């Protein structure tokens, strides 16, 4: 049903009888789906369609035939208001924050993009899996065999001194004697067995005779709390409310420390004045194109072209402007700006990530009555070390929460289709 003042939904339906080439597994005729060309569509009609498993690519709207298609595609819907960041999410957010505030890329450069396949990593490292039948008898060494000679040989290869080798031999002999003495006799209880932990050599392991190490952050919190309690004791000495006040202070401190950080706690952190980088996220309407979208079209296209050539190995002549426009700029969704909706209105948008005055990534999104739907993401390959696929998804979840404050019904985030067999989509299940 069309909203007041907007065009009605007009579509041409195409049957799903004939299969066509799959862009994921490259099967020439294995991709089967229902499809229709949408000349125009209201945001509410598209909302109803994606709730039933449909998605759009440009103006083409399709739904996979799940029991027939070669690569089943599953809809991912996230309740943005209940979303909590995991440890891996926090690593990505901290990585971006360190890069912006300090210019730190030392740890980020060595990390893989979350889209990469772990299987490919294993192959490139030369790992070889062998079954038990392929292992030689020489490798199946009994556990009770004396390893003194082997340790001596290994230590000589490492260039260790003779005195260090003798110490290791003595330690092994001591462990062997204790093991023989402490061995349980069949039929008798072993309650008298006593385990003796010999202090290890420096750099050779943890000293079990000492208390376990603690995180510096926890130690700082404890010291801060003790200082607060000491100050309160000085000011409230002799007061009957002293014990109650200290208990309340301790409870508030624990509740604050145990409260998990949200996405907003990482992305809206005040930066120092001398921060080496500046990141800005702009939302511009792509259909119908706004003046900001037109002004940045060429720069955005160049980022997409480099992304397709480097990440997807497209030839230089394939990602043309016409292909870019049909795929990521054209949309059948009618722009709507109801009074009870978000300030930017409903429809299709580009969320541009500007770093130091240039575009490094663009998220193509649809803002609908009940959700933000992610259509596509492309980015400058030079910034792959920032894990922009995961980072942009987290920013879009935070954006959904922001829109919810003005439009209470808008509370879901759609990540698009998920294909379990596609390595480049594995970042979506994290």
């Amino acid at each position: 049903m069309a909203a007041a003042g907007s065009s009605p939904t007009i579509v041409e339906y195409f049957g799903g009888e004939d299969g066509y080439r799959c862009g994921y597994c490259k099967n020439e005729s294995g991709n089967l789906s229902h499809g229709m060309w949408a000349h125009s569509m209201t945001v509410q009609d598209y909302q109803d369609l994606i709730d039933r498993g449909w998605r759009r690519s440009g103006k083409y709207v399709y739904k996979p035939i799940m029991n027939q298609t070669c690569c089943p595609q599953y809809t991912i819907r996230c309740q943005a208001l209940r979303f909590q960041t995991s440890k891996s999410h926090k690593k990505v957010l901290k990585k971006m924050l360190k890069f912006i505030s300090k210019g730190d890329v030392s740890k980020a450069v060595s990390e893989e993009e979350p889209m990469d396949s772990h299987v490919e990593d294993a192959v490139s490292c030369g790992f070889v899996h062998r079954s038990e039948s392929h292992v030689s008898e020489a490798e199946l060494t009994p556990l009770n065999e004396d390893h003194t000679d082997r340790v001596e040989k290994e230590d000589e290869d490492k260039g260790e001194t003779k005195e260090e080798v003798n110490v290791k031999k003595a330690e092994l002999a001591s462990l062997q004697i204790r093991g023989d003495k402490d061995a349980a006799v069949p039929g008798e209880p072993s309650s008298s067995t006593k385990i003796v932990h010999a202090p290890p050599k420096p750099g050779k392991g943890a000293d079990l005779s000492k208390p376990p190490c603690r995180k510096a952050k926890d130690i700082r919190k404890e010291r801060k709390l003790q200082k607060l309690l000491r100050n309160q004791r000085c000011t409230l000495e002799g007061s009957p409310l002293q014990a109650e006040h200290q208990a309340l202070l301790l409870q508030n401190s624990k509740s604050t420390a145990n409260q998990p950080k949200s996405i907003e706690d990482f992305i809206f952190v005040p930066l120092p004045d001398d921060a080496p980088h500046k990141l800005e996220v702009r939302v511009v309407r792509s259909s119908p194109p706004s003046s900001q979208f037109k002004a940045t079209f060429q720069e955005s296209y160049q980022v997409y072209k480099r992304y397709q050539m480097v990440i997807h190995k497209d030839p230089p002549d394939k990602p043309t402007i016409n292909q870019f426009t049909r795929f990521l700029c054209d949309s059948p969704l009618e722009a709507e700006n109801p009074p009870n909706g978000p300030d930017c209105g409903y429809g299709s948008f580009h969320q541009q990530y500007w770093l130091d005055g240039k575009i490094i990534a663009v998220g193509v999104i649809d803002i609908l009555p009940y959700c933000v739907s992610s259509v596509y993401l492309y980015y400058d390959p030079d910034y792959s070390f920032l894990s922009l696929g995961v980072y942009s998804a987290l920013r879009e979840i935070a954006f959904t929460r922001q829109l919810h404050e003005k439009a209470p019904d808008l509370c879901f985030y759609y990540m698009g289709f998920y294909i379990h067999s596609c390595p480049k989509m594995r970042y979506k299940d994290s």
Side-chain angles (χ1 to χ4, degrees):
M1 182 177 179
S6 64
S7 302
T9 297
I10 303 174
V11 298
E12 289 182 67
Y13 177 75
F14 300 98
E17 296 82 8
D18 298 329
Y20 54 94
R21 188 177 186 273
C22 177
Y24 301 105
C25 70
K26 311 305 180 185
N27 190 316
E28 291 298 330
S29 59
N31 197 339
L32 293 164
S33 65
H34 300 286
M36 53 188 176
W37 186 263
H39 297 274
S40 65
M41 183 173 290
T42 65
V43 291
Q44 184 59 58
D45 284 343
Y46 185 57
Q47 176 74 67
D48 294 338
L49 284 172
I50 67 170
D51 287 341
R52 290 161 175 80
W54 292 75
R55 298 289 296 177
R56 78 170 183 89
S57 176
K59 289 189 174 184
Y60 184 73
V61 187
Y62 63 100
K63 178 182 179 180
I65 304 176
M66 300 295 282
N67 62 344
Q68 298 181 31
T69 189
C70 55
C71 296
Q73 302 170 41
Y74 299 91
T75 300
I76 300 179
R77 187 176 77 168
C78 169
Q79 214 329 339
L81 306 183
R82 300 177 184 176
F83 177 81
Q84 292 185 350
T85 53
S86 66
K87 186 176 180 180
S88 61
H89 297 150
K90 293 176 182 177
K91 285 181 63 177
V92 172
L93 294 169
K94 290 178 181 178
K95 181 166 55 176
M96 176 65 80
L97 182 59
K98 287 181 180 179
F99 174 71
I100 297 173
S101 60
K102 302 178 182 179
D104 183 12
V105 296
S106 56
K107 295 181 180 179
V109 172
S110 62
E111 295 185 4
E112 294 286 345
E113 183 70 11
M115 302 178 188
D116 291 343
S117 170
H118 297 291
V119 176
E120 293 173 357
D121 294 341
V123 172
S124 63
C125 293
F127 294 138
V128 179
H129 174 74
R130 292 183 295 176
S131 63
E132 185 177 354
S133 60
H134 291 86
V135 180
S136 63
E137 294 183 1
E139 295 175 292
L140 299 176
T141 308
L143 293 178
N144 58 355
E145 179 180 340
D146 185 6
H147 296 279
T148 304
D149 296 336
R150 183 181 300 176
V151 170
E152 182 174 357
K153 185 177 184 302
E154 291 176 355
D155 290 337
E156 288 175 353
D157 294 338
K158 295 177 182 177
E160 296 187 359
T161 63
K162 185 175 181 181
E163 288 76 13
E164 290 176 331
V165 174
N166 292 334
V167 170
K168 286 190 175 182
K169 291 168 67 176
E171 289 177 354
L172 288 171
S174 175
L175 292 172
Q176 182 68 30
I177 293 172
R178 273 205 300 271
D180 295 340
K181 287 183 179 180
D182 296 338
V185 178
E188 294 185 5
S190 59
S191 59
S192 61
T193 302
K194 183 178 181 180
I195 300 176
V196 179
H197 297 292
K201 294 177 63 179
K204 298 298 182 181
D207 188 350
L208 299 180
S209 64
K210 295 182 180 180
C213 296
R214 300 171 58 192
K215 289 185 177 180
K217 180 174 66 175
D218 296 335
I219 297 175
R220 288 195 299 269
K221 287 181 180 179
E222 183 177 339
R223 289 176 180 172
K224 184 177 180 180
L225 177 60
Q226 290 174 352
K227 183 177 180 180
L228 289 173
L229 292 175
R230 284 196 301 269
N231 293 339
Q232 291 299 326
R233 276 198 293 269
C234 295
T235 57
L236 299 174
E237 191 66 34
S239 171
L241 298 177
Q242 179 181 359
E244 180 181 353
H245 187 82
Q246 290 182 4
L248 181 61
L249 182 65
L250 179 63
Q251 181 180 358
N252 291 339
S253 177
K254 286 184 177 180
S255 62
T256 303
N258 294 333
Q259 185 176 3
K261 286 189 175 182
S262 65
I263 304 174
E264 291 79 4
D265 293 330
F266 291 97
I267 62 178
F268 297 128
V269 176
L271 297 176
D273 295 335
D274 59 346
H277 300 290
K278 179 182 178 182
L279 178 67
E280 182 184 0
V281 180
R282 305 176 188 174
V283 179
V284 298
R285 184 178 290 278
S286 57
S287 180
S290 64
S291 58
Q292 298 94 334
F293 177 83
K294 293 178 181 178
T296 59
F297 177 84
Q298 281 295 335
E299 184 175 356
S300 181
Y301 165 66
Q302 292 300 326
V303 175
Y304 171 73
K305 187 172 183 177
R306 291 197 64 229
Y307 172 80
Q308 290 296 120
M309 292 171 57
V310 176
I311 303 299
H312 294 286
K313 311 302 180 185
D314 283 354
D317 59 339
K318 182 178 179 182
T320 63
I321 290 183
N322 289 335
Q323 291 172 333
F324 171 68
T325 302
R326 290 198 306 268
F327 178 39
L328 297 174
C329 302
D330 291 346
S331 170
L333 302 185
E334 297 291 332
E336 298 181 19
N337 292 276
N340 59 343
D343 295 335
C344 60
Y346 298 118
S348 298
F349 299 83
H350 279 196
Q351 195 167 38
Q352 301 172 341
Y353 294 80
W354 290 77
L355 181 68
D356 302 333
K358 69 174 184 178
I359 298 176
I360 65 166
V362 177
V364 183
I365 60 174
D366 293 329
I367 301 178
L368 305 176
Y370 306 131
C371 74
V372 170
S373 174
S374 177
V375 180
Y376 199 74
L377 172 80
Y378 56 94
Y379 55 85
D380 189 333
D382 291 343
Y383 297 91
S384 296
F385 63 89
L386 291 174
S387 303
L388 292 172
V390 175
Y391 182 79
S392 64
L394 295 172
R395 289 293 301 240
E396 288 169 3
I397 292 174
F399 182 55
T400 304
R401 293 175 174 176
Q402 181 181 349
L403 297 178
H404 171 77
E405 296 177 0
K406 182 68 185 296
D409 291 337
L410 203 163
C411 57
F412 293 103
Y413 172 61
Y414 281 73
M415 288 189 70
F417 284 140
Y418 171 72
I419 301 175
H420 181 70
S421 59
C422 180
K424 293 181 180 178
M425 288 194 180
R426 291 182 185 173
Y427 75 102
K428 292 187 178 183
D429 64 4
S430 61

